[in-house]
Amino acid sequence: MHCIFAAEMECTKHFFTRVMLVSLLLLAVALPVSAQVYGTVTDSLTHEPISFVQVYYEGTSTGTQTDDQGRYRLPAMSGRGVVNLVFSSIEYVRKSIPVSRGANRRINVQLCESSHQLNEVTVKPRRERYSRKNNPAVDLMRRVIANKWRADLQRTPWCSYYGYQKMTTSLDEITPEKMQGGLFKQMPFLKDQVEVDPVTHRLILPLVMDETVTRYLWRSTPKDQKTLIMGHRSTGINDLLSVGEGMGTIMQSFFGNINIYDEDIALLEKRFISPIATTGAISFYQYYIMDTLLVDRDSCIHLTFVPRNSRDFGFSGHLYVVKDSTWQVKRCRMTLPQKTGVNFVGGIDILQEFQRLPDGMWVPMTDDFRVNLSLTDLLQSVQVQRVTRYSDYTTTPLADSLFDVRHFTNPLDAPVQDGAFWNQYRPVPLTDKEEGMARFVNDVRQMPGFRYVIFAARALIENFIETGREGSPSKFDIGPVNTLVSGNYVDGLRLRLSGKTTAAFNPHLFFKGYVAYGFRDGRPKYKAEVEYSFAKKKRLPFEFPRRSITFSHLYDVMAPADKYLVTDKDNMFLSLKANTVDQMSFIRRNALTFVYEAHNTFSTTLELRHTDDTPVGRLAYLRQGTGTALKCLTTAEASLTLRYAPGETFVNSKQGRLAVNRNASVFTLSHTVGLEGVLGCRYHYHITEASFYKRFWLSSWGRVNAMLKGGVVWDQVPFPLLLSPAANQSFIIQNNHFHMMNNMEFLNDRYASLDLTVELNGLLLNRIPLLKHLNWREVFGVNVLYGGLSDKNNPNLHPTDDRLFLFPQRNGQATSFMMDTDTPYVEYHVGLHNVFKILRIEYWRRLTYLHLPDASKHGVRMALQFKF
């Protein structure tokens, strides 16, 4: 809901979380929730969760077992009185606790380890002081880390292998009591979809299933690697809750394949330090040797590991290291410590298995992942299970033609395969319920009233209202919804109605636009756009690769900083301003735009535009010398923009193209030429701007986002054509904006800026008593701007040159200024995110140019953020 209820520019990543959470909420309320007894079982000494503990009511057959996080949940016993709840495990002392029948209660239990013997136990984790010095477990891990190179496939000249992945999303913890009422009673077919999870032994209801077969290719000379998606298949309720390119892509962005041999493990849009990372693992984790045992005929040393601080973003689990000179990991099982502050996650279980090839190289064979998601303890939980198998490893020479084929990164681009293909490449059989998913979806589709639920969910997720009906795709979508009502200084209250066509109307020709009305000025505004795509589109015109030509006509009121917004300028929450923006313009613009995207994510944009800029509000264009007002500034421009984002991946939403993550570096270069003498343009000028974005990961501690920009106006121009910084006047946080700077406060013809933001995962707060229980996370950063105005564009040095304009004023006092080239504008911010799991609050402080009129020294900004 971030893009709807806030306007932070980084809404791309939060769109995915929003889809996940809205879908989760719909699923959670679909089933009745009766009184329950639930809680967590932990070790009394180590305080780590205990899995596979039997939990049951004494004298009854009602029971369950704890998951990998030590969590359990049971329906409360009906009737009156008290019944004993028993906790039993072979390695721990049995415990019995009396509970009241019919009560909704959380019971956390600590079990004491029983006296038992393990073969060849060297070190046993206890509460004694841990030391890395003279620690045999640490010495062993140093050998494992030193031999990681043996599992590096890229040390071979060629390599090819196949991967099969199945991802299933299910309602979890279905109980016989739930199956007797609620939707189960209204829709008996739901009972036919329930099955027993073979791992947790709980009843689940599969809802979505995705399968993908991929071939991975590598060669060292010339260096190249390809990921060829050979087949993709998706079925389930995601066919009903369609969101752009499907839930499968979104789920993959959160729960994709991992490898413990990587330095950091990407999961849930975060980075977790691997237990065998070359840098940092030895200091981050505590290791204990437990036993020696056979794993698939290989003699292995069994180790356990836990983070030194259980609230840091790391894993706890088990490593099984082959007891030979290779020191390779044979098997790894990991989970998240109970206290790790990951939102909406009830438990995670990761299993990885490796195998030795005939040439001695170790390769991954199994990568299984299971996560339990829940908004609250009282709502229905959802289980996501990913099964990945690798096979057919070869290191023989590969034909060059294999590397000339298109590099598929989107599963939906893969060819449709038949049943024979899946029977050949599917190493793990589908369950009966997964096989019958299509029938289940058809039963859901026929449910009375369900289409209204889906209609509302799509509108909430996509921010658009579809006009199609069942069996007839929407040809016209109304939205964005969050622009229906807004406001600004000129419009006052502003109403807007927007819409656009889809590929169901025409796969090559797309129309979009809006009409708006301001009740203060009483003037209508509008925009109309038509785009022709040279390639046939499935749903939307900006599907990759975008190769199209667009004509647009705009007549609307705009603030100078609106051009920097990624979100829509009429987002209703952007109307909440910290400072009044009363210097605006009526823009009448015609533009012809050509976009060409290559498959390597290099894009070229050519644009011709003609603009009539009429000042409005308290803005005036006064000629230098005469002081006469110019009613309208007319320009004709041609621009070229080059953009390169190597490795960038994205999906398409109705709101636009959304990056799966912001890990890819982005280079942008643009040049604009003013066409003097064309359609009334009086100025000839050249403007060049460049930017570079880069994300730096601090492993599990967090990340740093850096944006570097620069620009130059090479010729003499009036101030509306100068370079004004992106000033954020709203209370909503917007990345790559200055938050304490006023509208058009500085006018430059050359500048360089740096936006640096550091987001930590509780690195500091997790070590402060009391505060660490809140799971708050730190964020801080700095924005710096160096700018200047050359003599040719300084109106004070050209008192009779009517090509220049007087700088903007308000009530006779200047509101725009020149920067001192020796003094940068600097502001910093410190704050918290993950407040109540959804809120980000920051304090902003301006450090320079405080002497200027109306300069704000400090302020508070916020945004809604849904993050794991």
Side-chain angles (χ1 to χ4, degrees):
M1 286 158 281
H2 182 66
C3 293
I4 298 179
F5 300 118
E8 185 182 356
M9 288 180 62
E10 204 176 5
C11 68
T12 52
K13 62 183 180 181
H14 303 305
F15 166 79
F16 301 122
T17 314
R18 186 174 73 251
V19 173
M20 291 282 296
L21 296 181
V22 170
S23 303
L24 182 58
L25 181 60
L26 289 173
L27 298 175
V29 300
L31 296 178
V33 180
S34 57
Q36 296 179 330
V37 178
Y38 58 95
T40 305
V41 181
T42 57
D43 188 295
S44 61
L45 290 178
T46 65
H47 300 291
E48 287 300 308
I50 308 173
S51 57
F52 305 112
V53 175
Q54 300 298 320
V55 184
Y56 59 92
Y57 293 112
E58 192 171 39
T60 74
S61 60
T62 302
T64 186
Q65 65 180 11
T66 57
D67 60 17
D68 56 287
Q69 287 291 303
R71 297 165 65 96
Y72 72 92
R73 187 186 301 272
L74 280 171
M77 291 292 289
S78 59
R80 297 183 179 182
V82 174
V83 64
N84 288 327
L85 185 63
V86 178
F87 300 83
S88 175
S89 175
I90 189 172
E91 297 181 354
Y92 292 87
V93 177
R94 180 178 183 271
K95 178 174 285 191
S96 178
I97 298 176
V99 296
S100 299
R101 293 175 179 266
N104 199 77
R105 185 179 174 188
R106 184 187 187 105
I107 302 176
N108 293 331
V109 175
Q110 291 188 342
L111 298 183
C112 297
E113 191 171 3
S114 60
S115 168
H116 64 282
Q117 185 68 33
L118 286 177
N119 296 329
E120 300 184 38
V121 173
T122 306
V123 178
K124 188 77 172 176
R126 297 296 184 191
R127 290 186 66 100
E128 70 267 11
R129 180 179 177 83
Y130 179 87
S131 175
R132 294 195 296 269
K133 186 176 180 180
N134 298 322
N135 187 329
V138 173
D139 294 339
L140 174 59
M141 288 307 303
R142 294 188 193 278
R143 295 190 188 100
V144 173
I145 293 171
N147 282 273
K148 286 174 59 177
W149 62 272
R150 297 180 184 274
D152 184 6
L153 288 172
Q154 295 189 0
R155 67 186 178 92
T156 62
W158 296 275
C159 183
S160 169
Y161 61 99
Y162 292 83
Y164 167 82
Q165 182 189 93
K166 180 181 71 173
M167 189 175 297
T168 306
T169 303
S170 310
L171 286 179
D172 195 11
E173 299 178 334
I174 306 297
T175 64
E177 287 76 12
K178 292 178 182 177
M179 295 173 64
Q180 300 305 315
L183 289 181
F184 279 102
K185 187 174 182 178
Q186 301 173 19
M187 296 178 291
F189 66 86
L190 289 178
K191 298 179 182 180
D192 298 331
Q193 187 67 10
V194 174
E195 64 182 5
V196 177
D197 187 297
V199 176
T200 65
H201 305 291
R202 294 194 296 261
L203 294 177
I204 61 173
L205 196 158
L207 299 170
V208 180
M209 193 271 294
D210 285 87
E211 291 183 290
T212 306
V213 174
T214 307
R215 187 179 184 186
Y216 302 92
L217 303 173
W218 156 262
R219 70 179 176 192
S220 58
T221 306
K223 186 177 180 180
D224 195 4
Q225 60 182 7
K226 293 289 184 181
T227 301
L228 307 179
I229 300 178
M230 302 172 59
H232 175 74
R233 174 173 172 262
S234 179
T235 181
I237 64 169
N238 57 337
D239 297 337
L240 304 174
L241 191 64
S242 176
V243 283
E245 292 184 340
M247 285 291 292
T249 305
I250 299 171
M251 301 289 281
Q252 183 67 29
S253 71
F254 288 113
F255 313 123
N257 296 334
I258 64 177
N259 190 336
I260 62 167
Y261 278 89
D262 295 333
E263 289 294 287
D264 293 324
I265 295 174
L267 190 65
L268 302 171
E269 285 193 325
K270 303 183 182 301
R271 295 291 177 94
F272 298 82
I273 187 169
S274 169
I276 59 173
T278 304
T279 304
I282 297 298
S283 60
F284 185 89
Y285 289 103
Q286 294 179 350
Y287 301 93
Y288 304 92
I289 296 177
M290 301 296 295
D291 198 0
T292 58
L293 69 167
L294 290 177
V295 179
D296 295 336
R297 299 182 182 180
D298 287 318
S299 178
C300 295
I301 303 172
H302 175 201
L303 298 95
T304 61
F305 57 92
V306 294
R308 292 180 62 85
N309 187 323
S310 61
R311 293 187 179 276
D312 289 338
F313 278 38
F315 297 102
S316 61
H318 305 263
L319 288 172
Y320 300 86
V321 179
V322 177
K323 195 177 179 181
D324 62 14
S325 59
T326 64
W327 303 108
Q328 294 300 294
V329 175
K330 177 70 174 181
R331 178 183 295 165
C332 175
R333 189 150 209 156
M334 303 186 298
T335 186
L336 289 181
Q338 181 184 359
K339 296 180 181 179
T340 300
V342 180
N343 297 326
F344 316 117
V345 174
I348 284 180
D349 182 32
I350 299 171
L351 172 65
Q352 294 207 306
E353 295 179 327
F354 299 83
Q355 181 175 308
R356 192 197 321 252
L357 297 180
D359 61 3
M361 179 174 291
W362 284 84
V363 295
M365 301 298 291
T366 299
D367 176 22
D368 290 349
F369 173 88
R370 183 187 304 267
V371 61
N372 183 278
L373 304 173
S374 178
L375 294 179
T376 72
D377 288 334
L378 297 179
L379 289 179
Q380 185 72 36
S381 60
V382 173
Q383 174 184 278
V384 179
Q385 179 185 15
R386 174 178 53 74
V387 174
T388 305
R389 298 290 183 268
Y390 299 104
S391 62
D392 298 332
Y393 285 90
T394 62
T395 55
T396 56
L398 299 171
D400 291 340
S401 59
L402 290 173
F403 293 88
D404 296 332
V405 299
R406 180 180 170 187
H407 185 166
F408 289 115
T409 58
N410 184 352
L412 296 186
D413 292 333
V416 177
Q417 302 289 2
D418 58 16
F421 170 88
W422 292 107
N423 291 334
Q424 176 184 354
Y425 287 98
R426 181 188 293 138
V428 179
L430 301 182
T431 67
D432 292 341
K433 309 309 177 185
E434 291 170 342
E435 286 277 13
M437 191 72 74
R439 182 184 64 254
F440 167 68
V441 172
N442 185 64
D443 290 339
V444 174
R445 197 187 303 271
Q446 303 303 319
M447 185 180 67
F450 192 77
R451 65 188 183 95
Y452 298 108
V453 176
I454 296 300
F455 175 85
R458 286 177 176 173
L460 183 61
I461 293 172
E462 289 278 24
N463 204 15
F464 278 81
I465 298 174
E466 296 183 347
T467 60
R469 298 188 302 272
E470 186 67 31
S472 176
S474 176
K475 297 181 179 181
F476 185 81
D477 295 337
I478 301 172
V481 176
N482 63 345
T483 62
L484 289 173
V485 181
S486 61
N488 59 62
Y489 180 82
V490 174
D491 281 310
L493 175 65
R494 175 183 170 104
L495 300 181
R496 171 177 147 178
L497 182 63
S498 314
K500 62 182 181 181
T501 65
T502 71
F505 175 79
N506 189 298
H508 291 278
L509 197 61
F510 297 86
F511 297 89
K512 66 182 296 186
Y514 64 79
V515 291
Y517 183 81
F519 285 84
R520 177 175 294 171
D521 68 347
R523 298 172 67 175
K525 294 89 180 175
Y526 53 86
K527 181 179 181 179
E529 179 178 300
V530 57
E531 178 174 357
Y532 179 81
S533 172
F534 297 100
K536 185 177 180 180
K537 298 299 182 180
K538 297 178 181 178
R539 297 184 64 212
L540 305 163
F542 40 75
E543 293 169 359
F544 184 84
R546 189 173 193 174
R547 297 170 183 176
S548 65
I549 188 167
T550 304
F551 176 77
S552 63
H553 176 73
L554 169 73
Y555 178 69
D556 204 349
V557 62
M558 299 184 68
D562 286 347
K563 60 185 177 183
Y564 299 111
L565 294 173
V566 174
T567 186
D568 197 294
K569 73 180 184 66
D570 289 330
N571 184 305
M572 62 180 65
F573 276 82
L574 288 183
S575 303
L576 303 175
K577 302 292 187 183
N579 300 301
T580 301
V581 179
D582 54 9
Q583 295 173 324
M584 306 181 72
S585 298
F586 262 106
I587 301 296
R588 186 184 297 274
R589 175 177 295 136
N590 295 293
L592 184 66
T593 307
F594 171 75
V595 178
Y596 184 89
E597 287 183 326
H599 288 294
N600 62 355
T601 68
F602 183 88
S603 66
T604 302
T605 303
L606 292 169
E607 186 170 82
L608 299 174
R609 54 184 174 267
H610 180 267
T611 305
D612 290 329
D613 180 346
T614 303
V616 69
R618 296 193 175 186
L619 181 64
Y621 296 160
L622 303 177
R623 297 182 185 274
Q624 180 70 5
T626 63
T628 57
L630 182 69
K631 181 179 179 181
C632 177
L633 174 65
T634 299
T635 59
E637 297 175 322
S639 67
L640 170 66
T641 301
L642 305 177
R643 184 181 185 274
Y644 183 48
E648 183 181 48
T649 57
F650 38 76
V651 296
N652 295 315
S653 157
K654 291 182 185 295
Q655 301 175 70
R657 180 180 294 174
L658 305 178
V660 172
N661 54 56
R662 298 189 67 207
N663 293 330
S665 300
V666 182
F667 305 83
T668 305
L669 176 65
S670 67
H671 187 79
T672 300
V673 179
L675 306 176
E676 185 178 10
V678 177
L679 300 176
C681 178
R682 293 186 56 205
Y683 298 91
H684 175 75
Y685 52 88
H686 292 264
I687 302 174
T688 304
E689 290 190 272
S691 66
F692 171 62
Y693 165 82
K694 176 68 176 177
R695 169 171 287 175
F696 303 91
W697 281 95
L698 307 176
S699 190
S700 64
W701 306 119
R703 63 195 180 194
V704 179
N705 295 327
M707 173 70 84
L708 183 65
K709 293 182 179 180
V712 178
V713 180
W714 302 98
D715 304 283
Q716 186 185 58
V717 294
F719 80 79
L721 301 178
L722 293 175
L723 302 171
S724 178
N728 176 29
Q729 303 299 301
S730 75
F731 287 102
I732 306 302
I733 298 169
Q734 297 191 66
N735 292 340
N736 306 320
H737 276 63
F738 295 93
H739 289 67
M740 290 293 103
M741 186 182 293
N742 291 323
N743 180 46
M744 286 197 305
E745 184 172 356
F746 298 106
L747 298 173
N748 305 305
D749 59 11
R750 58 193 186 278
Y751 79 95
S753 68
L754 174 66
D755 184 325
L756 197 67
T757 300
V758 180
E759 298 181 20
L760 300 179
N761 293 325
L763 175 62
L764 305 176
L765 297 177
N766 281 348
R767 286 150 180 80
I768 302 177
L770 300 181
L771 289 181
K772 64 183 181 182
H773 299 289
L774 298 174
N775 288 327
W776 288 347
R777 302 167 189 167
E778 312 87 341
V779 58
F780 59 89
V782 62
N783 291 353
V784 181
L785 171 68
Y786 278 92
L789 191 67
S790 59
D791 291 346
K792 64 178 177 292
N793 285 314
N794 186 346
N796 297 327
L797 300 180
H798 304 273
T800 61
D801 191 345
D802 66 353
R803 289 172 56 87
L804 299 180
F805 300 165
L806 294 174
F807 275 11
Q809 300 180 359
R810 183 184 296 110
N811 300 325
Q813 185 179 50
T815 58
S816 297
F817 308 91
M818 295 180 292
M819 296 188 68
D820 183 343
T821 55
D822 296 326
T823 304
Y825 173 89
V826 182
E827 61 183 21
Y828 72 86
H829 59 104
V830 295
L832 301 169
H833 62 110
N834 205 46
V835 178
F836 305 119
K837 297 185 179 182
I838 62 171
L839 189 61
R840 175 171 173 174
I841 305 174
E842 295 181 359
Y843 168 77
W844 286 76
R845 177 70 157 82
R846 176 170 170 164
L847 299 180
T848 56
Y849 294 96
L850 295 173
H851 64 283
L852 296 180
D854 301 323
S856 299
K857 188 175 182 179
H858 50 75
V860 176
R861 303 292 182 265
M862 62 185 64
L864 290 178
Q865 287 187 171
F866 291 90
K867 292 184 178 181
F868 281 106

